[in-house]
Amino acid sequence: MKMIKNTLFSQTPIEVGQGSTKDNYIMAIESSCDETACAIVKNGREVIANIVASQIKTHEKFGGVIPEIAAREHLDSINVVIDEAFSQAKEIANIEPKDITAFAGTVGPGLVGCLLVGLNAAKTLALVYDKPFIGVNHLNAHLCANYLDTDLKPPFMALLVSGGHTQIIDVKSYSEQTIIGETIDDAVGEAYDKVARLIGLPYPGGPKLDKMAQEGNPKAYLLPKAKVNEFDFSFSGLKTAVLRLIKQLKADNNTENLSEDIIKDVCASFQECVSSTLVKKVKKALEQSGYNQVVIAGGVAANSEIRKKMFALQDEGYKVFAPPMKYCTDNAAMVASCAYFNTNTFDDINVEVFSRVK
């Protein structure tokens, strides 16, 4: 449990988090990239309301997220998702604004203009309703998605895989975490998107590559695995190897447009290389730690092959947790859970956004 003060008005301490004598209802807002989200979560685990407004259609024609456009979209959507979350909470659990224990918002990392929209909205709600404000680290929030609708408790080993980050994290307790390995160049999600672009798949490329890989031969092409430190990753060399493979295949077939079957095999071979590398290092970290629990988190946790290989660890006696698909990508329910479990959070309403991990 943590005692945090109300905002600028009464300054009365309020119990928030584990050990609180009352049920906690935390409303959180997430706007770090291209989803505007608002959620209300009870005691860090029970999702009362969860609203997400996606911008995928807006950014498809650009082949990626345009920060300035994303920020404007957040401005258009923020009040809508807040109102819908309150309405959903009222209908489902008869929860009203006065019943909210604290308001939370993503502080970073993310796109600065986007973060400011959600964070300022969360701070404003805290001020208006005279309730505590809690700032949340986006990466920690992804880990906490595994607490939603489960009884998971630390310690456990975590694999965080997203568009901007790839990390193996030793989670000793709700607030004590150590990054024991991470990518030294491209994140796994970034590698997926870049390879998808090389093949000619439209944005968002990662999920489309995954779908094509499921119909290909994962042993069709042998791709290199980077030799880096024990728990670190490197995917830039793999990306270059795929580029060379595609050029060679086009030359061998005397065409600029590879057949769908060849593309499926390239996707499957790439996905096999990535997924086997990730899981091999996670398993080694588990063996060294002695933990019997492992979780996967982040947007790329929705990848079919990575999930399949992670859950195969159950056959070796490990307990494996992965969020449902709706909690893998950016959402506010995970932010609310993180605020409750006090995982590297900030209770100063003057906290500023940050674009990169500090």
Side-chain angles (χ1 to χ4, degrees):
M1 180 189 67
K2 53 183 175 179
M3 296 292 291
I4 62 178
K5 293 182 179 180
N6 283 31
T7 52
L8 300 181
F9 302 136
S10 66
Q11 296 292 307
T12 303
I14 290 181
E15 295 179 345
V16 177
Q18 305 171 85
S20 174
T21 56
K22 299 179 180 179
D23 285 334
N24 283 185
Y25 294 92
I26 296 179
M27 172 177 265
I29 296 175
E30 153 64 23
S31 65
S32 62
C33 190
D34 60 342
E35 276 92 17
T36 316
C38 184
I40 298 174
V41 176
K42 177 182 177 181
N43 297 334
R45 295 189 185 271
E46 182 182 346
V47 180
I48 306 298
N50 184 45
I51 308 296
V52 180
S54 176
Q55 300 178 15
I56 286 180
K57 294 296 182 182
T58 300
H59 299 285
E60 272 183 344
K61 58 187 175 184
F62 302 110
V65 177
I66 307 299
E68 293 83 358
I69 295 176
R72 294 191 199 106
E73 291 274 330
H74 285 306
L75 285 170
D76 290 339
S77 302
I78 191 69
N79 288 332
V80 175
V81 298
I82 291 171
D83 289 343
E84 288 190 19
F86 275 132
S87 296
Q88 196 174 91
K90 174 67 175 177
E91 181 180 346
I92 294 174
N94 198 31
I95 299 298
E96 298 183 357
K98 64 180 177 61
D99 300 315
I100 301 299
T101 309
F103 292 90
T106 303
V107 179
L111 303 174
V112 170
C114 298
L115 287 164
L116 285 170
V117 176
L119 189 64
N120 286 334
K123 289 179 178 181
T124 300
L125 287 167
L127 290 170
V128 168
Y129 292 107
D130 191 21
K131 295 294 176 69
F133 165 79
I134 304 170
V136 171
N137 182 305
H138 182 76
L139 301 183
N140 292 127
H142 270 301
L143 291 185
C144 290
N146 284 280
Y147 296 137
L148 298 170
D149 301 326
T150 72
D151 58 358
L152 172 67
K153 297 179 181 179
F156 55 80
M157 196 63 63
L159 173 64
L160 176 61
V161 278
S162 70
H165 300 86
T166 304
Q167 299 174 337
I168 297 178
I169 305 170
D170 182 351
V171 182
K172 295 181 173 65
S173 69
Y174 288 112
S175 58
E176 185 182 2
Q177 305 174 3
T178 303
I179 298 172
I180 63 173
E182 58 189 332
T183 181
I184 62 174
D185 41 55
D186 290 355
V188 63
E190 182 182 4
Y192 262 86
D193 287 339
K194 287 180 177 178
V195 168
R197 193 176 296 118
L198 291 174
I199 296 171
L201 299 178
Y203 174 86
K208 292 180 173 65
L209 190 156
D210 179 19
K211 186 175 181 179
M212 296 197 75
Q214 294 174 44
E215 300 177 17
N217 176 9
K219 297 181 180 179
Y221 307 106
L222 183 62
L223 293 169
K225 297 179 180 179
K227 295 181 179 180
V228 292
N229 294 335
E230 191 173 26
F231 297 120
D232 286 335
F233 302 96
S234 172
F235 296 110
S236 62
L238 174 59
K239 175 193 64 182
T240 302
V242 173
L243 174 61
R244 289 174 177 170
L245 173 62
I246 292 171
K247 288 182 177 179
Q248 186 62 51
L249 288 171
K250 287 180 177 179
D252 292 344
N253 291 274
N254 194 27
T255 180
E256 280 299 311
N257 298 304
L258 296 174
S259 70
E260 188 171 304
D261 286 340
I262 291 177
I263 292 175
K264 287 178 180 177
D265 285 347
V266 172
C267 290
S269 300
F270 168 78
Q271 182 150 283
E272 174 63 24
C273 183
V274 171
S275 58
S276 60
T277 298
L278 291 171
V279 177
K280 179 181 179 181
K281 295 204 171 194
V282 168
K283 183 180 176 183
K284 190 169 185 178
L286 279 168
E287 292 170 347
Q288 288 194 10
S289 68
Y291 297 161
N292 70 340
Q293 297 187 128
V294 59
V295 312
I296 183 172
V300 187
N303 179 273
S304 64
E305 189 62 27
I306 295 174
R307 287 177 82 96
K308 178 183 175 181
K309 281 185 168 61
M310 286 291 289
F311 275 99
L313 293 174
Q314 291 178 330
D315 297 335
E316 301 181 41
Y318 295 106
K319 294 181 180 179
V320 181
F321 293 82
M325 296 299 183
K326 63 183 177 181
Y327 299 137
C328 287
T329 52
D330 292 349
N331 65 89
M334 68 183 192
V335 177
S337 180
C338 188
Y340 178 84
F341 285 110
N342 193 23
T343 311
N344 295 341
T345 54
F346 320 91
D347 59 6
D348 181 359
I349 200 166
N350 295 313
V351 65
E352 297 179 352
V353 300
F354 59 91
S355 60
R356 297 179 181 274
V357 177
K358 293 185 177 181

